[in-house]
Amino acid sequence: MEIKPLTENVSYIPGRTNVGVIKCGGSDVILVDTGIDSGSGKRILRLLEKHGLKPVAVVNTHFHTDHCGGNRILKEKAGVKVYASGVAATVIKYPFINPFSLFSGVYPVKDLMNKFVMAESSDVDVEIEEGEIKIGDAVIEIVPLPGHAPGQIGVVADGILFCGDAVFAPEVIEKVGIPFNVDIKTEKETLNFLKNTDFSLYVPSHGEPVEDIGFYVLENLKQIERIEAMILGFLESEELSSEEIVDFVLKEIGLKVKAVHHYFLIHAGILAYLSYLYNEGLISLRIENRPLWKRK
């Protein structure tokens, strides 16, 4: 684990989930996200101490576990204040909402209540909205980036945008096959917004920082459109259930899913496509003891 400087006042800690580090006066720093669990939080704290830095605040880009899992230990050990959007604040405080929502809004199977889906609960001290906020000596800008998750935000400091999971690096897309988004229409809008921005550097939560976000945006849009085309093609001549569509997409992409939490994430991600295509009037929905989808 290391701290990589980006400007005099802004650095990041590369990892499975990149963590932003923004100086805000003396040795005090703001963190952007905290990793997946208390272990991540402890490693971040040790690294900062090694460099003579003290975390005083955390800004969570969104409520997914790999972005807020270290909050609780950082609050306990360092007394940080946690900042998040209103939507994110609710789930960060009540993380059971994550597995609950993935399991159709009912009490989930125990396999979904693990650290990959449900973070340790953490209070959020300040709910934030779009615009500038001051923390210590630092003024940072909050930019809405919904689509991957409700209430997702980006954080701007020194002209650098920490963009959460609004965009994935191409190597990440290749690995996961189906990047998780809850709202396909809004995610497309966010990607097109990013394409037209001119920040000096972009730091996605998963992937290398880049000066030109255009290529990343293009690769994300291409994968979304690829999955859309798969589903539309599959429904051209048959009326099929959601589970049959999930199975088809997994086979087409070449993914083999064995873990329970992985399957339900994929399932939810495909439902987002079905919702989008239905709401756009491209497919029909009929209920006959199960939902049946067909291309119009």
Side-chain angles (χ1 to χ4, degrees), residues 1 24 38 53 62 64 80 105 115 150 203 212 248-249 277 282:
M1 208 176 217
C24 61
S38 60
L53 299 173
H62 59 295
H64 289 160
V80 301
K115 73 174 186 178
V203 185
D212 181 3
F248 166 76
V249 173
L277 294 171
L282 298 173

Side-chain angles (χ1 to χ4, degrees), residues 16-211:
R16 286 194 170 186
T17 301
N18 295 328
V19 173
V21 182
I22 302 166
K23 292 182 180 178
C24 61
S27 62
D28 293 351
V29 295
I30 304 160
L31 298 177
V32 180
D33 292 332
T34 60
I36 196 167
D37 58 15
S38 60
S40 301
K42 289 176 183 176
R43 288 190 293 274
I44 290 167
L45 194 54
R46 285 197 298 268
L47 180 64
L48 294 176
E49 288 174 347
K50 178 182 173 183
H51 289 268
L53 299 173
K54 178 188 175 184
V56 295
V58 167
V59 181
N60 290 126
T61 58
H62 59 295
F63 57 76
H64 289 160
T65 306
D66 56 330
H67 296 261
C68 64
N71 283 15
R72 184 169 184 170
I73 197 72
L74 283 162
K75 283 185 76 68
E76 289 177 359
K77 299 290 186 182
V80 301
K81 281 190 174 181
V82 174
Y83 295 69
S85 71
V87 173
T90 300
V91 186
I92 291 168
K93 186 173 182 179
Y94 302 105
F96 178 73
I97 293 171
N98 264 328
F100 181 81
S101 62
L102 284 178
F103 206 64
S104 301
V106 299
Y107 194 86
V109 293
K110 61 184 179 181
D111 310 68
L112 283 177
M113 292 185 283
N114 59 34
K115 73 174 186 178
F116 300 107
V117 180
M118 191 170 72
E120 290 186 83
S121 173
S122 159
D123 284 335
V124 172
D125 301 283
V126 182
E127 292 187 16
I128 51 178
E129 298 179 351
E130 179 179 3
E132 291 186 345
I133 60 171
K134 192 171 189 291
I135 302 176
D137 293 341
V139 176
I140 62 175
E141 183 183 358
I142 305 303
V143 181
L145 297 173
H148 170 74
Q152 179 174 247
I153 54 101
V155 179
V156 183
D158 278 5
I160 295 170
L161 174 64
F162 291 93
C163 47
D165 288 349
V167 64
F168 294 97
E171 63 271 20
V172 176
I173 295 173
E174 184 177 354
K175 180 180 178 181
V176 302
I178 307 170
F180 184 78
N181 293 301
V182 299
D183 185 336
I184 303 302
K185 182 177 182 178
T186 304
E187 174 62 12
K188 286 183 176 182
E189 291 169 354
T190 289
L191 289 168
N192 283 308
F193 162 78
L194 286 173
K195 182 176 63 177
N196 294 311
T197 58
D198 59 352
F199 297 104
S200 60
L201 195 69
Y202 299 81
V203 185
S205 292
H206 307 287
E208 292 291 324
V210 289
E211 292 181 3

Side-chain angles (χ1 to χ4, degrees), residues 231-238 240 245 283 293-295:
I231 294 170
L232 288 172
F234 192 46
L235 296 177
E236 186 73 53
S237 57
E238 292 186 79
L240 297 164
I245 295 166
I283 60 176
W293 309 87
K294 178 80 166 60
R295 183 165 185 174

